[in-house]
Amino acid sequence: VQLQASGGGSVQPGGSLALSCEASGRITSINKMAWYRSAPGKQRELVASVARGGDTNYADSVKGRFSISRDNAKNTVNLQMNGLKAEDTAVYYCNVDRVWTDYGVTYGHWGRGTLVTVSS
């Protein structure tokens, strides 16, 4: 299973960015999909997650500003980030926790990080 993330970049405070991540590799189903972030000097933290059925969970710091969604047919997860703040600056990683494939169940896959910089 491979995760390919796209999006990210630099934006001024108050701006918006969108991240997208596609999972590939003979996948038949994915349980939870999520975005994490890692800022300098801080531990990696959960930003948002979405279950296969659509239930979502957000870090308190991003509630009301970020929106996570997924497309089960395309095995993609998206993160729309609005009202960005300097403290959102981090490397963002997509994650899937349990994946059913043609060759069995696999766990804990991470995409390569994509940098989001919020600065004036």
Side-chain angles (χ1 to χ4, degrees):
V1 175
Q2 293 185 329
L3 301 181
Q4 181 65 50
S6 61
S10 296
V11 66
Q12 293 185 340
S16 298
L17 284 174
L19 305 180
S20 183
C21 179
E22 179 180 9
S24 60
R26 297 169 61 183
I27 295 169
T28 57
S29 182
I30 300 174
N31 186 32
K32 188 176 294 184
M33 307 182 81
W35 288 95
Y36 286 76
R37 67 186 180 187
S38 180
K42 296 184 178 180
Q43 290 186 333
R44 187 175 296 188
E45 64 173 352
L46 175 68
V47 177
S49 66
V50 55
R52 179 168 179 78
D55 289 343
T56 58
N57 181 49
Y58 295 92
D60 288 343
S61 60
V62 307
K63 284 180 180 177
R65 300 187 297 121
F66 290 13
S67 178
I68 190 170
S69 61
R70 64 186 285 174
D71 185 326
N72 291 332
K74 297 180 179 179
N75 294 323
T76 57
V77 58
N78 302 302
L79 185 68
Q80 178 64 43
M81 304 181 291
N82 300 325
L84 282 161
K85 304 176 181 180
E87 51 263 43
D88 295 318
T89 295
V91 177
Y92 285 70
Y93 300 88
C94 63
N95 167 269
V96 294
D97 67 343
R98 186 187 307 171
V99 183
W100 286 264
T101 69
D102 288 347
Y103 44 87
V105 181
T106 60
Y107 299 87
H109 299 278
W110 293 90
R112 294 177 66 179
T114 183
L115 178 63
V116 171
T117 302
V118 185
S119 175
S120 56

